[in-house]
Amino acid sequence: MFEKPLLLLAVIVAVSAVGNGCQLGKAIYKPVIDGTPVYWPPSWTETQPAPQLETEQSCSWIVTIPRGYYAKLIISGKTTDKDSRFQTVDTAGNLVQTTQENMEPYYFPSPKFTIAVSNTGSATFAFKVVWFPLPYLDDSIRVGPLAKVMNATSTVNYNNYWDANSNSLTLMTFPADTKNYYSLRSTLVFDGPGLSSGCYISNLYQLYQTTNQWTSSQKSIIVLNLEASSSNDKLLFLSSKYLAGIGEMVKLQPQANSIYNGTVNGLMSSLVAVTDLPMQMIDVQMESASTVTVYNGSPAVYALNKTYTGTQLKNALPLSFSGPVVQFVVSSGKAVFTFKS
Ligand SMILES: *[C@@H]1O[C@H](CO)[C@@H](O)[C@H](O)[C@H]1NC(C)=O
Ligand SMILES: *[C@@H]1O[C@H](CO)[C@@H](O)[C@H](O)[C@H]1NC(C)=O
Ligand SMILES: *[C@@H]1O[C@H](CO)[C@@H](O)[C@H](O)[C@H]1NC(C)=O
């Protein structure tokens, strides 16, 4: 009963490769009036389901972004066979390939990004791009021995983080939810004090997926959040000069009303917690002769809280700690810390 109208609908909304300008390398420019969207296909808007693509399509667009602007992209669509995908590449060459898109926005810096689709079998596909002026620089924030913790996504912001005494800085991301962190896509990271295209590294979403801790090549990092979300995602900035002797760095993400472990292994390995929650250490398993040094910031003398041997620590438990950042540096061997929040 239902098959006929559905088929008919599919035929009507099928996007013709020729008729709708689906081709390779088509350029899209910002309309004169800021905030004016460009849709593909032009008849689509985000209140409609994505139209059907003809099979065997290969289309791409180069979206140019003037200096002083960023572009926001949403894609709606789904592919149905294993060889078909949607793809974006930003100006730093970061590639994203997906097979289903539900209009979760992407944000791109100047001067361009590309969007492409290639499908073998049936697929739906549509997108919208809007260009907006960049926010103005809010603040220049010095990262000292106490480190710096920032809310990544709670406000629109544009900050320059720097330490004139360190050759580089590191950035660690602590998303509010480690399983769903699309909110990080609105945050762009630049290596150095300017927004020139050569300095663009990635958005925070991809940076979080690919690196535990990212290290700049310059004395400053610019982080630009283009859209506020209700997600309490945190960023930790450290000056590399304090990390010289540190081995692996492991993130600890406290959860309210729960008991959780942090495990490190090796020489001078560090467990790093960034949180608004009070934490209580209730158990530890480590070599009794190894030491744990607690820092309220970087592993720097200035941020030192206290040093314990394994035996002393065990005897002192339970111990309370609070953020915004606490580091536990273990001199050697495996250590498992158990906390309660
Ligand atoms: C960061 O977010 C937390 C929790 O939402 C809030 O308590 C805190 O004031 C915020 N800090 C800044 C610097 O905005
Ligand atoms: C934490 O680690 C201890 C020791 O390895 C283990 O017994 C316990 O089950 C772990 N707890 C959690 C919540 O993972
Ligand atoms: C160490 O941390 C605890 C809990 O965060 C705090 O009460 C104490 O004052 C700190 N000690 C030093 C020396 O900073």
Side-chain angles (χ1 to χ4, degrees):
M1 266 318 255
F2 289 114
E3 268 166 23
K4 230 177 181 175
L6 268 182
L7 261 178
L8 205 65
L9 192 67
V11 169
I12 292 167
V13 298
V15 169
S16 153
V18 180
N20 276 298
C22 176
Q23 55 185 255
L24 289 173
K26 188 171 163 56
I28 299 182
Y29 301 98
K30 182 183 91 66
V32 174
I33 299 170
D34 286 357
T36 306
V38 168
Y39 287 96
W40 193 90
S43 57
W44 182 74
T45 65
E46 59 269 48
T47 55
Q48 301 164 359
Q52 200 74 29
L53 267 186
E54 285 187 353
T55 56
E56 306 281 347
Q57 296 287 298
S58 216
C59 330
S60 66
W61 295 264
I62 300 165
V63 180
T64 64
I65 306 165
R67 266 184 74 148
Y69 285 82
Y70 71 91
K72 177 177 175 179
L73 167 73
I74 60 171
I75 306 172
S76 176
K78 193 172 175 5
T79 62
T80 56
D81 61 277
K82 66 175 174 43
D83 299 318
S84 300
R85 60 191 66 84
F86 311 125
Q87 174 177 307
T88 61
V89 181
D90 68 19
T91 195
N94 299 303
L95 168 74
V96 176
Q97 288 189 326
T98 59
T99 54
Q100 181 163 5
E101 286 284 347
N102 301 315
M103 303 199 285
E104 284 292 349
Y106 294 86
Y107 301 80
F108 297 95
S110 165
K112 67 175 180 358
F113 71 94
T114 60
I115 175 167
V117 56
S118 69
N119 68 305
T120 310
S122 102
T124 57
F125 179 68
F127 68 84
K128 172 192 178 183
V129 190
V130 196
W131 295 255
F132 297 102
L134 290 171
Y136 293 106
L137 182 70
D138 286 317
D139 221 343
S140 223
I141 297 172
R142 196 176 85 86
V143 179
L146 293 182
K148 204 82 210 173
V149 173
M150 295 297 291
N151 290 340
T153 52
S154 60
T155 57
V156 171
N157 62 72
Y158 166 10
N159 292 317
N160 181 14
Y161 301 88
W162 59 277
D163 183 350
N165 300 318
S166 182
N167 287 330
S168 59
L169 300 174
T170 70
L171 172 58
M172 289 178 110
T173 308
F174 294 78
D177 181 345
T178 53
K179 295 194 183 67
N180 179 0
Y181 46 86
Y182 280 121
S183 51
L184 300 179
R185 282 219 295 230
S186 65
T187 310
L188 307 183
V189 178
F190 294 78
D191 188 355
L195 293 185
S196 71
S197 62
C199 293
Y200 177 61
I201 298 299
S202 175
N203 64 51
L204 205 55
Y205 182 89
Q206 276 184 285
L207 203 61
Y208 173 71
Q209 284 181 325
T210 53
T211 52
N212 180 47
Q213 181 180 40
W214 176 74
T215 306
S216 68
S217 71
Q218 303 198 41
K219 291 172 186 288
S220 57
I221 298 175
I222 283 181
V223 178
L224 192 55
N225 183 48
L226 299 167
E227 204 151 313
S229 74
S230 56
S231 230
N232 187 12
D233 306 313
K234 303 271 189 204
L235 291 179
L236 172 65
F237 296 88
L238 297 168
S239 298
S240 302
K241 66 181 249 183
Y242 303 117
L243 302 177
I246 300 296
E248 69 164 352
M249 293 191 64
V250 177
K251 285 176 192 162
L252 181 67
Q253 293 207 262
Q255 305 294 322
N257 309 313
S258 62
I259 291 178
Y260 47 92
N261 279 346
T263 304
V264 295
N265 205 348
L267 280 180
M268 298 301 281
S269 43
S270 170
L271 182 67
V272 191
V274 168
T275 184
D276 298 327
L277 296 171
M279 301 155 42
Q280 194 175 45
M281 192 188 285
I282 55 173
D283 196 13
V284 62
Q285 297 192 357
M286 63 181 283
E287 293 170 15
S288 50
S290 290
T291 62
V292 183
T293 306
V294 183
Y295 298 94
N296 299 116
S298 299
V301 175
Y302 192 73
L304 178 67
N305 187 287
K306 195 167 178 168
T307 298
Y308 305 84
T309 63
T311 309
Q312 287 166 344
L313 183 60
K314 191 126 199 167
N315 290 337
L317 295 179
L319 277 174
S320 293
F321 300 97
S322 58
V325 53
V326 191
Q327 289 206 49
F328 303 92
V329 178
V330 178
S331 60
S332 69
K334 183 174 176 181
V336 182
F337 300 98
T338 305
F339 298 90
K340 195 167 87 172
S341 284

